[in-house]
Amino acid sequence: MPIRQLVISATDGLHARPVADLARLARAHPDPVSLTTTSGVTVDVGSVLAVMDLALSPGDAVRLETSASAAAEPVLDAMAAVLDPRG
């Protein structure tokens, strides 16, 4: 199960445009991708509203994961780049 642990580094946190980018990437992937916060809240990355409701700010740690095989690695890498543009 591919997983990415990262910290939100975008100075504005997550606003509509990057969340829409995440949802677009998730919907293009055949398997569900979830985002989990350190408080244990898990949402489907394909849902813009669910991700926006998390109100993620710079410095918040999150985990991206999918049940897919290693073929999902590029999708998670692209999502990680949206969440943590400084890499």
Side-chain angles (χ1 to χ4, degrees):
M1 175 179 325
I3 296 174
R4 295 289 178 285
Q5 304 264 5
L6 52 126
V7 175
I8 306 297
S9 68
T11 56
D12 296 335
L14 281 187
H15 51 83
R17 187 172 297 129
V19 171
D21 291 343
L22 287 174
R24 199 171 8 266
L25 287 164
R27 288 188 207 120
H29 185 64
D31 297 300
V33 179
S34 63
L35 185 147
T36 304
T37 65
T38 55
S39 61
V41 177
T42 300
V43 299
D44 177 0
V45 178
S47 170
V48 171
L49 291 177
V51 177
M52 291 292 293
D53 270 351
L54 296 174
L56 295 170
S57 300
D60 289 346
V62 296
R63 182 178 72 229
L64 286 170
E65 67 183 287
T66 181
S67 59
S69 66
E73 298 285 343
V75 172
L76 291 184
D77 289 342
M79 289 180 178
V82 171
L83 294 168
D84 185 11
R86 294 185 285 176

